[in-house]
Amino acid sequence: TVKRDPRFVGKLDKVISRLHSSGVAVGIMQGAGGYENSVSLAENAFWQEFGTVDIPPRPFMRATMRLYKAVYRQLIRQLLERMLSGHLSEHQAVRILGLRVSHDMQNTINRGMHPGNSLITIALKGRDKPLIDTGALKQAITFEVLDRVTAGMRSAGTVLNG
């Protein structure tokens, strides 16, 4: 029979409670800037992620989450262990997760997205690497630590809540 240590259970309850009131938004945040044609980076990220009549979807955010889902689960377990042992605060854990996911999203773009650019776009840009022209979209990928109140639609990105 396994005995429960009330001190551990109490500590776990507190950590879980604090995590449920926080989260991290990863992607292109509102106000990240825009292009000369007055299109915001967040709008462009949305159009690229889901596509338009003229642009096929290139889901760099969803692809990242699918590709690294198991990695993120393991990272969250490790972060939770470090929080329970007192070596990491909840805020630090959420920041580490945000840094990792934003870095992975940038790498997803670096690896290239499918479908490739149209022949006209290749002629204009001089290359067939979607989502990379000026580099502004990729460079704008970041994260923001949120509390439950601000974890709404603050970005064209992925919100990971506790």
Side-chain angles (χ1 to χ4, degrees):
T1 307
V2 176
K3 287 188 176 182
R4 289 185 176 201
D5 182 341
R7 292 172 297 172
F8 177 78
V9 172
K11 190 173 188 177
L12 180 61
D13 285 344
K14 287 179 185 175
V15 167
I16 289 173
S17 174
R18 287 191 298 259
L19 285 175
H20 275 295
S21 67
S22 66
V24 61
V26 182
I28 313 294
M29 303 301 144
Q30 293 292 343
Y35 302 97
E36 292 175 7
N37 62 2
S38 74
V39 172
S40 77
L41 288 165
E43 287 173 306
N44 185 39
F46 181 84
W47 295 335
Q48 296 296 336
E49 184 73 17
F50 296 102
T52 69
V53 172
D54 300 318
I55 301 170
R58 294 186 177 102
F60 64 96
M61 291 180 263
R62 291 176 292 161
T64 300
M65 297 309 294
R66 273 192 308 274
L67 182 63
Y68 293 100
K69 185 176 184 178
V71 172
Y72 298 149
R73 282 187 176 151
Q74 181 60 34
L75 175 60
I76 290 168
R77 280 187 202 106
Q78 292 169 351
L79 293 171
L80 184 56
E81 288 173 11
R82 291 178 63 196
M83 288 169 19
L84 289 171
S85 68
H87 292 100
L88 200 63
S89 72
E90 292 81 10
H91 185 80
Q92 290 169 319
V94 173
R95 282 188 53 78
I96 289 169
L97 182 60
L99 280 168
R100 173 63 194 260
V101 176
S102 61
H103 177 76
D104 291 340
M105 277 187 192
Q106 292 169 340
N107 284 335
T108 297
I109 291 174
N110 284 339
R111 282 191 303 276
M113 297 297 302
H114 297 286
N117 286 327
S118 70
L119 295 176
I120 293 171
T121 303
I122 293 169
L124 291 171
K125 288 171 61 173
R127 64 182 169 274
D128 184 17
K129 195 147 189 186
L131 304 183
I132 297 179
D133 186 15
T134 65
L137 183 72
K138 183 181 80 166
Q139 292 169 5
I141 295 172
T142 189
F143 71 94
E144 180 180 345
V145 175
L146 307 171
D147 59 31
R148 189 60 88 185
V149 174
T150 60
M153 299 299 291
R154 300 219 2 114
S155 68
T158 303
V159 176
L160 305 169
N161 286 323

